[in-house]
């Protein structure tokens, strides 16, 4: 066996490359499929992998108000649950490309205004029903129809028609959009029988696992789907998700081996977690960002001078140092960072300036305390970050009153409801997806109530611009508009910091969200 084949097999066995990718690379070396499969099997055995067993995940972010309806998923627990029982048409690869899932292949016309997806045959839902192109059409229709409450609604606003021709699902847009397949990786767009129109929260999908038991916001038990179509995904026989929102309790559960992996290791204790026997810290730079959001249409935040006063009153460097502890980078009041290929790094960085903050505050005419709501459930260290903000704002003569809200129900009762609170975003696959989800005027998740016609027009123009240099320039202008006029205060971009025990193996690089884009429980395996 050549050293190159052995190296590729080791990458595949660790989960850094899927088996199909490995077989393709091996074929390019002139290796037969039989030899490649033997190399892969040897590499897996060398790591002590066991097919079967139970993988237990301690996860932060869940609440008793969570729904199993993909359209309503709004936190990390809900997204992880979706990953296990359902699938999208396409998914992100570890290097940020696209992997065909329920769409076997896809293509567009010359200008990217019409996209065709060949739907995979032989795939069944967990209720035994065959998955069809009509199910795909109905799913996208449910999320895209006017009045939809889906978190992906803003991504699909440009659709003019949906149709099916044989095994092809066809999306016709109002204009070109070269990024459309990336938009369809959104975790809300999970394919369901009849699009989920009949029973959106039934948890019936084509995923590698079947939901067997659950108590919302507390615990979920999954068993391997015996009819799952992709042998590369799903090694454990059972996966248990335990919602542990308290940071200390989550780390303690990992240390005591009650769980095999956890998400959101607080940066302030990451160096301690790294030293725990049998524990490996998994840190990945990301497009995720910890934020403070103001409703631009609600007093007193409908005043631009007040918004600017608060932006200048935040000591971002202090927050990065004391909240992220090296696991992240400075933000600039835009949701876009260097994780995006069309990012512009020449925009002036906003820094703490109490004099400018005081001047804008005076111009706003506001007086009295400003209420900021926070919770541990919004992002790791959020209450501490809010206290730092309170202190730095005081130096500019701005009084911030803090209210610590209960963890349970934060995402239903506070986020996207109250006018000023701490929150987080995991980022998206493209700038179009991020802007469409949270800043387009009509987006259901426009959590800063940012309504700007010029911004909306630029977003449409960027979608239709196939010249990357010109599109990058438009995205730069959009970031400036959000930075100057929007209700987003983005002091920092966070690394995704997870941790795994020695009982499981197979961690690999990923793009997207935490826990290997929420695929870690399915791609990893129990070590015998």
């Amino acid at each position: 066996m050549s050293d190159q084949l052995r190296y590729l097999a080791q990458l595949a066995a660790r989960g850094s490359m899927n088996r199909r990718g490995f077989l393709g690379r091996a074929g390019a070396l002139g290796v037969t499929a039989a030899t490649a499969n033997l190399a892969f099997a040897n590499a897996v055995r060398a790591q002590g992998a066991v097919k079967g067993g139970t993988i237990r995940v301690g996860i932060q972010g869940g609440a008793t108000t969570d729904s199993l309806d993909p359209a309503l998923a709004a936190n990390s627990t809900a997204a992880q649950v979706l990953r296990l029982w359902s699938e999208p048409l396409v998914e992100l690869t570890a290097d940020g490309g696209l992997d065909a899932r329920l769409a076997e292949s896809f293509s567009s016309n010359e200008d990217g205004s019409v996209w065709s997806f060949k739907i995979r045959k032989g795939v069944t839902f967990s209720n035994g029903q065959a998955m069809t192109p009509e199910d795909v059409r109905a799913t996208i229709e449910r999320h895209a129809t006017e009045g939809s409450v889906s978190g992906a609604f803003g991504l699909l606003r440009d659709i003019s028609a949906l149709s099916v021709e044989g095994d092809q699902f066809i999306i016709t847009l109002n204009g070109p959009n070269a990024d459309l397949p990336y938009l369809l990786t959104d975790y809300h767009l999970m394919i369901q029988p009849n699009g989920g129109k009949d029973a959106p929260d039934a948890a019936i999908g084509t995923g590698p696992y079947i939901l067997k038991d659950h108590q919302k916001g507390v615990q979920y038990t999954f068993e391997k789907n015996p009819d799952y179509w992709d042998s590369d995904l799903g090694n454990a026989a059972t996966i248990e998700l335990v919602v542990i929102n308290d940071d200390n309790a989550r780390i303690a559960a990992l240390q005591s081996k009650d769980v095999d992996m956890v998400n959101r290791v607080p940066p302030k204790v990451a160096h301690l977690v790294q030293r725990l026997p049998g524990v490996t810290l998994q840190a990945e730079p990301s497009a995720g960002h910890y934020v403070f959001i103001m409703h631009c249409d609600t007093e007193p935040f409908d005043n631009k001078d007040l918004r600017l006063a608060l932006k200048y009153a935040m000591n971002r460097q202090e927050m990065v140092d004391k909240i992220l502890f090296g696991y992240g980078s400075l933000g600039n009041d835009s949701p876009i960072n260097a994780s995006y290929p069309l990012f512009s790094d020449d925009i002036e960085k906003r820094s703490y300036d109490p004099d400018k903050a005081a001047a804008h505050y005076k111009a706003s005419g506001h007086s009295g305390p400003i209420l900021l709501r926070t919770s541990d459930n919004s992002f790791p260290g959020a209450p501490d970050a809010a206290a730092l903000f309170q202190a730095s704002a005081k130096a500019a003569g701005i009084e911030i009153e803090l209210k610590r809200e209960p963890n349970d129900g934060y995402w239903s009762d506070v986020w996207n409801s109250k006018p000023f609170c701490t929150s987080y975003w995991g980022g998206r696959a493209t700038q179009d997806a991020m802007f469409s989800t949270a800043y387009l005027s009509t987006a259901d998740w426009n959590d800063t109530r940012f309504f700007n016609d010029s911004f909306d027009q630029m977003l449409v123009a960027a979608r239709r611009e196939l010249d990357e240099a010109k599109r990058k320039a438009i995205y730069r202008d959009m970031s400036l508009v959000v930075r100057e006029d929007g209700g987003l205060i983005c002091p920092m971009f966070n690394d995704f910091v997870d941790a795994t025990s020695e009982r499981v193996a197979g961690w690999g690089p990923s793009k997207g969200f935490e826990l290997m884009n929420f695929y870690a429980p399915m791609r990893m395996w129990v070590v015998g």
Side-chain angles (χ1 to χ4, degrees):
M1 184 189 300
S2 71
D3 290 341
Q4 192 169 2
L5 178 60
R6 185 178 292 106
Y7 172 70
L8 292 174
Q10 289 170 349
L11 287 179
R14 290 198 300 266
S16 302
M17 177 191 307
N18 65 33
R19 184 181 290 187
R20 283 176 295 171
F22 163 67
L23 292 175
R25 295 280 292 275
L29 296 175
V31 177
T32 66
T35 300
N37 279 320
L38 178 61
F40 176 79
N42 289 338
V44 169
R45 280 195 295 272
Q47 295 192 58
V50 174
K51 223 32 168 167
T54 299
I55 289 179
R56 300 157 300 186
V57 184
I59 193 163
Q60 192 269 359
T64 56
T65 53
D66 288 349
S67 173
L68 292 174
D69 180 356
L72 303 179
N75 57 51
S76 55
T77 298
Q80 179 65 83
V81 168
L82 287 179
R83 279 281 190 264
L84 290 164
W85 67 261
S86 57
E87 294 179 290
L89 284 176
V90 289
E91 189 51 273
L92 293 176
T93 61
D95 60 1
L98 289 171
D99 180 27
R101 300 305 299 165
L102 296 182
E104 195 172 79
S105 61
F106 51 89
S107 60
S108 74
N109 63 352
E110 189 172 329
D111 70 354
S113 62
V114 179
W115 286 86
S116 297
F117 299 82
K118 183 180 180 182
I119 304 306
R120 193 177 298 278
K121 295 180 180 179
V123 177
T124 59
F125 291 109
S126 55
N127 63 357
Q129 177 182 330
M131 187 271 297
T132 70
E134 277 295 339
D135 294 311
V136 175
R137 187 200 62 77
T139 296
I140 303 303
E141 181 179 68
R142 181 169 83 93
H143 291 269
T145 299
E146 194 68 38
S148 168
V149 295
S150 172
F153 177 59
L155 302 176
L156 308 175
R157 293 281 300 180
D158 211 27
I159 291 176
S160 65
L162 301 171
S163 60
V164 169
E165 295 181 8
D167 61 359
Q168 299 287 326
F169 165 58
I170 302 167
I171 298 178
T172 302
L173 303 172
N174 291 316
N177 189 344
D179 284 346
L180 179 73
Y182 283 94
L183 303 186
L184 298 181
T185 67
D186 187 277
Y187 62 83
H188 299 92
L189 300 176
M190 298 298 182
I191 307 305
Q192 297 175 270
N194 195 29
K197 294 179 180 181
D198 304 319
D201 59 352
I204 296 173
T206 65
Y209 289 87
I210 299 172
L211 181 61
K212 289 296 184 179
D213 189 28
H214 74 285
Q215 184 179 354
K216 291 177 183 177
V218 180
Q219 189 165 354
Y220 301 78
T221 301
F222 293 85
E223 292 181 4
K224 183 67 188 296
N225 182 352
D227 300 319
Y228 184 57
W229 62 273
D230 186 355
S231 61
D232 286 345
L233 199 59
N235 295 303
T238 305
I239 292 177
E240 296 177 358
L241 302 183
V242 183
V243 179
I244 312 175
N245 286 325
D246 182 82
D247 291 338
N248 293 330
R250 197 164 61 258
I251 301 305
L254 180 68
Q255 185 176 11
S256 64
K257 303 187 188 306
D258 289 331
V259 298
D260 304 309
M261 65 182 73
V262 297
N263 70 332
R264 296 197 195 171
V265 174
K268 66 180 179 182
V269 299
H271 67 291
L272 299 175
V273 173
Q274 197 165 21
R275 297 173 190 168
L276 293 175
V279 170
T280 301
L281 196 71
Q282 312 285 3
E284 184 82 22
S286 79
H289 42 296
Y290 297 163
V291 298
F292 297 71
I293 53 176
M294 305 173 281
H295 288 181
C296 296
D297 65 347
T298 305
E299 292 184 348
F301 310 105
D302 56 348
N303 185 300
K304 181 178 176 178
D305 276 303
L306 181 71
R307 297 197 299 271
L308 286 171
L310 290 169
K311 291 176 183 180
Y312 281 112
M314 179 173 287
N315 189 331
R316 298 152 199 278
Q317 188 61 60
E318 180 185 41
M319 215 166 274
V320 168
D321 294 342
K322 295 182 178 179
I323 301 300
L324 296 184
F325 292 88
Y327 292 97
S329 59
L330 282 169
N332 197 25
D333 297 338
S334 163
I336 307 302
N337 70 349
S339 297
Y340 295 90
L342 298 181
F343 170 68
S344 295
D345 61 1
D346 60 342
I347 297 176
E348 181 184 359
K349 303 296 186 293
R350 178 168 281 143
S351 58
Y352 177 50
D353 192 326
D355 292 334
K356 277 188 178 180
H360 281 291
Y361 186 64
K362 181 178 180 181
S364 76
H366 181 77
S367 62
I370 298 171
L371 179 62
L372 170 63
R373 301 170 191 270
T374 187
S375 164
D376 288 315
N377 215 4
S378 58
F379 64 78
D384 292 338
L388 290 175
F389 188 19
Q390 182 185 50
S392 64
K394 186 177 182 180
I398 302 172
E399 182 183 357
I400 294 178
E401 177 186 343
L402 302 182
K403 183 176 182 181
R404 190 159 181 163
E405 299 281 2
N407 287 333
D408 192 55
Y410 190 82
W411 297 110
S412 58
D413 300 333
V414 179
W415 173 76
N416 213 7
S417 176
K418 302 303 182 183
F420 193 28
C421 70
T422 57
S423 184
Y424 85 96
W425 279 94
R428 289 298 186 269
T430 65
Q431 293 190 44
D432 179 72
M434 188 69 243
F435 285 138
S436 297
T437 301
Y439 299 92
L440 184 68
S441 295
T442 53
D444 194 59
W445 280 13
N446 183 349
D447 60 3
T448 56
R449 305 294 193 270
F450 177 65
F451 307 117
N452 187 300
D453 290 341
S454 176
F455 179 90
D456 295 347
Q457 291 165 11
M458 284 191 283
L459 180 59
V460 173
R463 286 176 178 172
R464 299 180 179 184
E465 179 55 68
L466 301 183
D467 184 300
E468 284 202 348
K470 293 179 180 178
R471 198 193 317 175
K472 180 177 180 178
I474 297 173
Y475 285 146
R476 182 185 188 279
D477 291 341
M478 293 170 70
S479 287
L480 283 170
V481 171
V482 171
R483 179 181 182 272
E484 296 303 313
D485 298 337
L488 174 72
I489 306 177
C490 178
M492 49 191 163
F493 285 85
N494 61 287
D495 291 354
F496 290 138
V497 187
D498 307 312
T500 56
S501 79
E502 61 186 353
R503 187 174 171 272
V504 293
W507 187 276
S510 63
K511 294 291 185 182
F513 298 102
E514 58 208 277
L515 289 172
M516 291 175 63
N517 200 22
F518 297 119
Y519 279 97
M522 295 170 280
R523 294 202 182 280
M524 299 186 76
W525 54 79
V526 176
V527 176

